[in-house]
Amino acid sequence: MLDVRDLTKTYDPAGTPAMADLTFTVGEREFVCIVGSSGCGKTTMLRCLSGLVAPTSGTVTLDGVPVDGPPKDMAFVFQDYSRSLLPWMTVAGNVGFPLPYKGLSKAQVAAATAEALAAVGLADRGDSYPWQLSGGMQQRVAIARALAYQPRILLMDEPFASVDAQTRADLEDLLLDIWRRYDITILFVTHDIDEAVYLAQRVLVLRRPAHVHEVVEIDLPAERDQLATKQLPRFGELRSHVLSSLRAPDPAVLPG
Amino acid sequence: MQLSTTGTAAPGEPAAAPPTARRGVARDGSRLRTADLGLRRLGLGLAGVVAVVLLLEIVVRVGLLPQAWFPPPSEIFPDFAGLVTTGELFVPLGQTLQGWVLGILAATVVAVPLGVLIGSLELAHRLTRFMLEFLRPIPPVALIPAAVLIFGSNLDMKVFLIAFGTFWPVLLQTVYGVHDVDPTARDTARSYGLAPRAVLLRVTLPSALPYIATGLRIASAIGLILAVTSEIVVGVPGIGVRITDAQSAGGAEALMYAWILAAGLLGWVLNGALQMAERRLLHWHPSFRPGGGR
Amino acid sequence: MIRNRITDWALALVLPVLLLVAYDGWARTADDFFFPPLSEIGGTFADEWLFTRIPTDLLPSLVRMLAGFALAVLIGVALGTLLGFSRTLSTALDPVLQFLRALPPPALIPVSLLVFGAGDSAKVFLIALGAVWPVLLNTVDGVRGVDRTALDMARSYRVPAHARLTRLVLPAALPRIFAGARTALGIAIILMVVSELIGADNGVGYVVQLAQRGFDIPEMWAGTVLLGLLGFSANALFVAVERRVLHWHLAISGRATTGRASSAPRRRSRRTTPNPTEAAGARRP
């Protein structure tokens, strides 16, 4: 459904590109994780995929339609919930913020907001303000905002990078649960290999300048469990595989 | 500049974002070196000044603004240059500055010790709280008629007015500053056996200094406003009198704007000088360190 | 809790009451022409300002001040938003704007007399012209400082430009706008009084001036007290509005306004009443 072809982005014509010939596809209802070390051009990639900036060359198509601005079937969850949630709006206000501009009526906005908040377990916090909630709860609000938007594909930029480990595990399971219940495709960017292997059906290993170095199929049982899945020998193998793929010398690119 | 006004999270606030999360992400200027940025800023600023002056000239020449009221810059600047070259500028300038300096000095000499006292004694703070809150927003210009009556239309009156108007910001900033001294720092100093006087001089005052500096910067602007006001309203000698003289002379509009230009430049220079002094004196303070605060 | 409050208030009132009593006692014995006892000032205040002069003098003063202030805020926010969107333009105009803010506004009184004469429009013009700069400069800063992630969020959710402006950019800039408006309010009051001292046929400042010329000392002090009350109430009202509108900002930052001096060294969160020009003065990056 999401088709990325030869995507290149160069900020400084004299320097190295931030993204070079990035090509991959994400299928309908798929859960794909992208791992890359910091500074490998993930942010640039996401901004191009979401239509926030135009690539220097290459194309992004969503369901066959070229992306030249933020597509209406795509929702974005940002890493930094404290900056993507607006402190002057209540939780419900934040979740419902984009909806009127999709043409939803007031009642529809309220219904969609309530449903999305219930889906992330925050049904009773709609009247709170984001800054009254813990970090993990704030990121749930951001996820609820994405759900209420009813996208077909969800782009997530290291969404759980700034919460503690326990909260992170809870949020991962919440996300898997949402993915199973909703008709939704997820593209999840992270620098945490464990997280990528645990969540994904496929892991794309991204290297600098942003290009897909390797695609790793995650052949773990569909049902994931924080304890059982991570104890599987196969989980360890996949993790080592991804790690070595991230680190292996790449003849095409100079390390840096 | 702070990225967002919500940037600095106070410890202990509910569900605060991790501090790192709000730190400045490189803005679009990050690829330029600071020196280049400074040059760019300077160049753009100069271009802006030239453009505004040219625009004014055109607007007046074309007749969009009546020339009788708004002479074109090309007539104002020669008048201003005349004031400088003949030295006519400097006596009124000195008179305005004199009132400004004396008034602020008088206010500071009283306000800083009083502020230290109020800020360090909880009882004094509670006793004066209401009164300060009430007296601070009183417009000092309301006292002009009474001050004229009591002092006459002279320098005393101007100095009194400025001293009264600038007293409050200096006092309040000092109180805030002293009240806010890190208790850890003060306790540390005490536990090392520093005498109360030494704690005051070595810990309390330096910590309160940035606040006092802010108070002085505010006082500077207020002081200038009051100096010019007393000149224009009451006729105490200074730049303000020259502005009204030129206005009532008739046909000397360009000269009037030249004097206004002088008043503006004075304010601009004073503000810049205080900012620079602050940066120099308080270079150790987090908000002046590269990458900190602001 | 409540008992604490009561002690607080009682303590806070001790000093003002003592001072007033001391003044009154001194004025009675000293019999100084310039300093009449409180009873005289109070009596005149009640006679003149409760309520005969309210429609004839207080109201015109208030209307001129509010009109000038409202104009300054409207123009300042509108122009500041426009400038804030263009980094190049706002950098280029920065020196000019800094100059205009540094210019002591009373210096423009002769200009307003020249252009508008002595009527109401001259006063409103003067107030607006003097008060607009802090609002404008703070708005530019506020708009420039809007978080990029928040803007990206709104764009990626296809929130249209006008809604991004009204529901994101302006609310985000609001703390700065309020800081500027607070300075502007102080300037507006000053200019209101000054313009009435110079050429007016009504207004509180005019009454005070007239009383001074006629050596009606109690009347002069009564008017001066009223101007003080006016300044105090305007400020109190402003703070109340700010608390309501910016409750989210105060909750996050734990203080009443933004600005360098209060942001950097303040360690404990506490209610403060910082000074108006602070934020405007600390605006340079």
Side-chain angles (χ1 to χ4, degrees):
Chain A
M1 91 178 284
L2 182 72
D3 199 17
V4 180
R5 205 160 292 279
D6 300 329
L7 212 57
T8 302
K9 179 76 188 178
T10 316
Y11 289 109
D12 179 3
T16 49
M19 189 165 61
D21 296 325
L22 179 75
T23 302
F24 66 89
T25 52
V26 180
E28 192 86 37
R29 301 269 298 113
E30 217 184 346
F31 197 135
V32 174
C33 279
I34 295 182
V35 277
S37 46
S38 52
C40 73
K42 283 177 298 194
T43 310
T44 301
M45 176 195 72
L46 280 171
R47 285 172 66 82
C48 281
L49 293 188
S50 60
L52 287 172
V53 293
T56 310
S57 65
T59 54
V60 181
T61 50
L62 185 61
D63 286 328
V65 182
V67 170
D68 53 0
K72 74 173 179 15
D73 285 327
M74 183 186 279
F76 203 128
V77 175
F78 294 84
Q79 173 187 351
D80 200 342
Y81 47 81
S82 65
R83 287 161 68 187
S84 87
L85 294 177
L86 307 179
W88 52 89
M89 292 181 187
T90 60
V91 164
N94 267 289
V95 173
F97 175 46
L99 302 183
Y101 316 109
K102 271 187 91 181
L104 269 64
S105 72
K106 248 193 169 150
Q108 286 171 317
V109 170
T113 302
E115 195 203 322
L117 280 174
V120 298
L122 289 175
D124 54 344
R125 300 311 293 265
D127 293 332
S128 306
Y129 283 89
W131 34 268
Q132 293 170 325
L133 308 180
S134 68
M137 282 158 108
Q138 290 188 50
Q139 197 55 291
R140 281 169 195 252
V141 176
I143 294 171
R145 176 172 58 197
L147 287 179
Y149 194 65
Q150 296 175 331
R152 298 192 46 227
I153 182 162
L154 197 55
L155 248 54
M156 308 185 84
D157 181 10
E158 302 194 30
F160 309 145
S162 36
V163 296
D164 62 82
Q166 183 52 47
T167 311
R168 182 176 192 146
D170 291 344
L171 286 170
E172 285 165 5
D173 289 334
L174 173 80
L175 185 65
L176 281 175
D177 180 53
I178 285 169
W179 173 61
R180 286 191 194 106
R181 284 197 288 139
Y182 287 77
D183 179 22
I184 200 166
T185 309
I186 296 181
L187 184 64
F188 188 104
V189 174
T190 178
H191 62 251
D192 184 316
I193 298 166
D194 277 35
E195 184 170 71
V197 173
Y198 178 70
L199 288 172
Q201 296 175 301
R202 269 195 307 149
V203 170
L204 309 184
V205 177
L206 207 68
R207 296 190 36 167
R208 206 172 91 171
H211 68 284
V212 177
H213 179 71
E214 192 187 349
V215 180
V216 182
E217 296 290 335
I218 305 299
D219 45 7
L220 292 168
E223 202 58 41
R224 307 281 161 97
D225 179 273
Q226 290 285 356
L227 279 178
T229 306
K230 288 185 177 172
Q231 275 168 356
L232 292 174
R234 185 63 187 145
F235 183 88
E237 289 165 27
L238 286 165
R239 192 176 57 183
S240 314
H241 185 107
V242 173
L243 181 64
S244 58
S245 173
L246 262 175
R247 289 194 175 164
D250 186 343
V253 192
L254 291 171
Chain B
M1 183 165 66
Q2 244 167 269
L3 280 189
S4 65
T5 38
T6 56
T8 41
E13 86 189 26
T20 45
R22 284 190 183 277
R23 266 295 130 73
V25 177
R27 306 286 285 280
D28 53 357
S30 61
R31 268 163 279 128
L32 295 170
R33 276 175 298 124
T34 337
D36 289 347
L37 267 180
L39 265 183
R40 194 180 123 82
R41 171 181 286 274
L42 194 71
L44 269 174
L46 272 176
V49 173
V50 171
V52 167
V53 169
L54 274 179
L55 191 73
L56 271 177
E57 182 79 28
I58 293 168
V59 163
V60 175
R61 292 277 178 206
V62 166
L64 279 173
L65 285 174
Q67 262 200 49
W69 298 340
F70 302 102
S74 58
E75 286 175 27
I76 299 173
F77 287 129
D79 275 17
F80 181 76
L83 292 181
V84 178
T85 47
T86 59
E88 208 191 326
L89 173 71
F90 299 107
V91 171
L93 190 75
Q95 287 164 333
T96 301
L97 264 179
Q98 187 189 20
W100 181 85
V101 169
L102 291 177
I104 292 181
L105 206 64
T108 309
V109 165
V110 184
V112 170
L114 198 61
V116 171
L117 189 75
I118 293 175
S120 39
L121 295 179
E122 189 54 32
L123 183 68
H125 190 247
R126 290 172 75 182
L127 275 173
T128 51
R129 204 185 51 139
F130 177 73
M131 218 169 71
L132 294 185
E133 294 293 316
F134 182 81
L135 289 174
R136 189 180 53 95
I138 290 180
V141 287
L143 286 173
I144 288 180
V148 169
L149 208 57
I150 295 160
F151 295 99
S153 306
N154 51 28
L155 182 65
D156 290 352
M157 177 264 159
K158 191 200 262 185
V159 171
F160 164 79
L161 195 67
I162 296 172
F164 177 84
T166 55
F167 178 75
W168 307 110
V170 179
L171 177 70
L172 279 161
Q173 286 298 66
T174 311
V175 172
Y176 293 150
V178 172
H179 211 185
D180 245 26
V181 171
D182 192 346
T184 324
R186 198 159 34 193
D187 292 348
T188 312
R190 278 211 196 105
S191 70
Y192 278 105
L194 258 71
R197 209 173 62 107
V199 175
L200 177 74
L201 288 179
R202 297 271 187 81
V203 181
T204 308
L205 272 182
S207 312
L209 218 50
Y211 288 83
I212 299 176
T214 305
L216 282 176
R217 196 147 36 73
I218 298 162
S220 157
I222 297 178
L224 192 62
I225 290 178
L226 293 174
V228 174
T229 305
S230 64
E231 288 158 13
I232 286 183
V233 176
V234 185
V236 185
I239 291 180
V241 173
R242 301 307 174 102
I243 300 176
T244 38
D245 282 355
Q247 182 246 330
S248 51
E253 282 77 21
L255 186 63
M256 177 183 87
Y257 283 102
W259 281 112
I260 292 177
L261 183 65
L265 285 177
L266 178 60
W268 189 71
V269 168
L270 287 176
N271 189 44
L274 279 175
Q275 266 182 12
M276 229 157 76
E278 220 179 313
R279 218 162 292 168
R280 278 250 161 131
L281 282 173
L282 302 176
H283 59 91
W284 49 270
H285 194 273
S287 62
F288 291 99
R289 273 182 230 140
R294 287 234 159 177
Chain C
M1 249 344 240
I2 290 176
R3 243 180 90 188
N4 259 341
R5 274 244 171 113
I6 293 172
T7 359
D8 250 24
W9 275 102
L11 268 179
L13 285 174
V14 166
L15 200 59
V17 170
L18 269 180
L19 282 178
L20 285 178
V21 168
Y23 168 81
D24 198 54
W26 170 80
R28 275 172 202 286
T29 50
D31 199 22
D32 189 319
F33 177 69
F34 292 141
F35 299 101
L38 283 182
S39 52
E40 249 179 83
I41 300 176
T44 319
F45 189 92
D47 288 346
E48 296 282 335
W49 294 108
L50 304 175
F51 298 88
T52 36
R53 280 193 184 276
I54 286 186
T56 56
D57 291 289
L58 180 58
L59 222 54
S61 287
L62 283 179
V63 168
R64 289 192 286 254
M65 182 187 97
L66 288 178
F69 175 67
L71 225 74
V73 171
L74 275 178
I75 296 173
V77 171
L79 282 182
T81 309
L82 279 179
L83 281 184
F85 276 123
S86 163
R87 192 157 283 269
T88 312
L89 201 58
S90 55
T91 309
L93 286 182
D94 194 58
V96 176
L97 294 174
Q98 294 290 350
F99 169 83
L100 287 168
R101 188 189 54 180
L103 177 74
L108 296 170
I109 290 175
V111 180
S112 83
L113 286 175
L114 187 71
V115 178
F116 290 96
D120 279 352
S121 47
K123 296 181 175 60
V124 173
F125 166 81
L126 177 72
I127 294 169
L129 190 65
V132 74
W133 311 113
V135 182
L136 177 63
L137 282 164
N138 274 286
T139 307
V140 170
D141 265 6
V143 169
R144 269 170 70 151
V146 174
D147 197 290
R148 206 179 76 166
T149 304
L151 280 173
D152 275 355
M153 181 278 293
R155 274 214 304 141
S156 74
Y157 282 93
R158 296 163 65 95
V159 174
H162 68 89
R164 289 205 298 269
L165 177 68
T166 55
R167 300 200 59 197
L168 203 162
V169 174
L170 286 180
L174 215 52
R176 294 306 300 269
I177 295 176
F178 262 89
R182 187 192 271 238
T183 313
L185 185 66
I187 294 176
I189 297 174
I190 288 181
L191 290 178
M192 183 263 283
V193 178
V194 172
S195 70
E196 289 172 356
L197 292 179
I198 282 216
D201 42 23
N202 61 13
V204 185
Y206 165 77
V207 173
V208 176
Q209 181 84 324
L210 204 67
Q212 181 243 34
R213 295 226 166 107
F215 292 100
D216 187 348
I217 304 304
E219 165 118 4
M220 180 190 82
W221 283 117
T224 307
V225 169
L226 181 67
L227 286 176
L229 285 174
L230 200 73
F232 173 75
S233 328
N235 195 60
L237 198 69
F238 186 90
V239 171
V241 171
E242 185 182 38
R243 284 228 178 103
R244 257 196 100 87
V245 176
L246 291 185
H247 68 100
W248 56 271
H249 176 67
L250 305 182
I252 297 172
S253 57
R255 73 184 83 88
T257 353
T258 55
R260 185 190 60 72
S262 55
S263 67
R266 194 166 295 270
R267 290 173 200 93
R268 289 159 285 161
S269 45
R270 176 193 307 126
R271 190 197 73 83
T272 56
T273 316
N275 32 77
T277 18
E278 183 178 25
R283 56 175 296 282
R284 292 202 151 271

